[in-house]
Amino acid sequence: MKGLFITFEGGECSGKTTIIKEVCAVLQQHNIPYISTREPGGIEIAEQIRSIILDIRNTAMTEETEALLYAASRMQHLKEKVLPALEQGMVVICDRYLDSSLAYQGYARGLGMDAILKINHFALHHLPDLTLFIDVKPDVALQRLAQRNKSDRLDLEDISFHKAVYDGYLEVEKLYPNRFVKIDGNKELDALCEDCVQKVLDFIGR
Ligand code: TYD
């Protein structure tokens, strides 16, 4: 594989979307061929699967079904979009990947990391070269969320779920200490973007 596969991970209000836009703008300035994509989604079939997973009417969906759908969407996206771009030598920037399934379904929803790895291995396994985890402590993220949606009531379950997702990411770090890099996400967004851009450029060798 000639390209580089770089994923971004983090919980709610981590600034991922803005950071990714900024990183892509800098890749563009440097004339580095890249694509930017996201999970779940990124291609037609995966977007269709995404709408099933995120449809609020699907309250009966079991956690296992959810995990399998994320894996299904991932594999289609990987085969149709990510691997061909890597073959062409591009940098692939992806908003969420396997680590989201490990932190959300494996750890926070309690299915277990092994179960998630197993279903993802079955489909087609390809790990990122670099993962930037935007490390925002859960209480800071919840403060930001409360400011953003002033009318939203954050109940205890939300808070404990956010904490569990965060702890899940710390478990992922233990599984993949080499590719999983924590970025301090508690600082101002501009400084945070700059840190991420620098990490990506260093990794690419620019
Ligand atoms: P999205 O609106 O893209 O959220 P964000 O901006 O936070 O990335 O919705 C994606 C949601 O799906 C998010 O809550 C995380 C969740 N998710 C999983 O639970 N498992 C997964 O494997 C992936 C890729 C996402």
Side-chain angles (χ1 to χ4, degrees), residues 8-14 16-17 38-41 50 53-54 66-67 69-71 73-74 95-106 109 116 120 148 161 165 169:
F8 285 79
E9 296 283 350
E12 304 285 326
C13 293
S14 58
K16 245 175 345 92
T17 311
R38 70 162 182 182
E39 274 205 7
R50 176 189 174 94
I53 303 173
L54 300 180
E66 189 186 76
L69 286 176
Y70 277 119
S73 143
R74 173 162 309 124
D95 184 352
R96 299 192 180 280
Y97 190 64
L98 173 67
D99 300 340
S100 285
S101 283
L102 290 168
Y104 283 78
Q105 282 69 51
R109 296 252 181 254
I116 298 303
N120 281 275
R148 208 161 65 180
F161 186 71
V165 168
Y169 275 120

Side-chain angles (χ1 to χ4, degrees), residues 101-155:
S101 283
L102 290 168
Y104 283 78
Q105 282 69 51
Y107 194 89
R109 296 252 181 254
L111 293 180
M113 307 302 236
D114 285 348
I116 298 303
L117 286 174
K118 220 179 251 173
I119 57 176
N120 281 275
H121 269 290
F122 160 71
L124 175 66
H125 202 50
H126 185 91
L127 288 176
D129 299 296
L130 174 70
T131 298
L132 297 187
F133 169 59
I134 314 305
D135 184 357
V136 180
K137 303 279 177 285
D139 46 334
V140 175
L142 286 164
Q143 269 169 19
R144 289 183 188 169
L145 200 61
Q147 277 163 8
R148 208 161 65 180
N149 316 307
K150 285 206 165 54
S151 58
D152 273 13
R153 195 179 62 81
L154 297 167
D155 59 31

Side-chain angles (χ1 to χ4, degrees), residues 32-90:
I32 297 167
Y34 76 93
I35 60 163
S36 173
T37 187
R38 70 162 182 182
E39 274 205 7
I43 47 149
E44 182 54 34
I45 293 173
E47 289 291 341
Q48 286 179 31
I49 298 174
R50 176 189 174 94
S51 61
I52 297 171
I53 303 173
L54 300 180
D55 188 334
I56 50 168
R57 289 169 306 172
N58 289 337
T59 48
M61 187 180 292
T62 70
E63 285 154 10
E64 290 79 2
T65 303
E66 189 186 76
L68 287 163
L69 286 176
Y70 277 119
S73 143
R74 173 162 309 124
M75 294 319 140
Q76 191 68 33
H77 177 240
L78 189 62
K79 260 196 160 158
E80 248 188 70
K81 191 164 182 182
V82 176
L83 294 179
L86 291 175
E87 279 296 344
Q88 288 170 34
M90 292 181 147

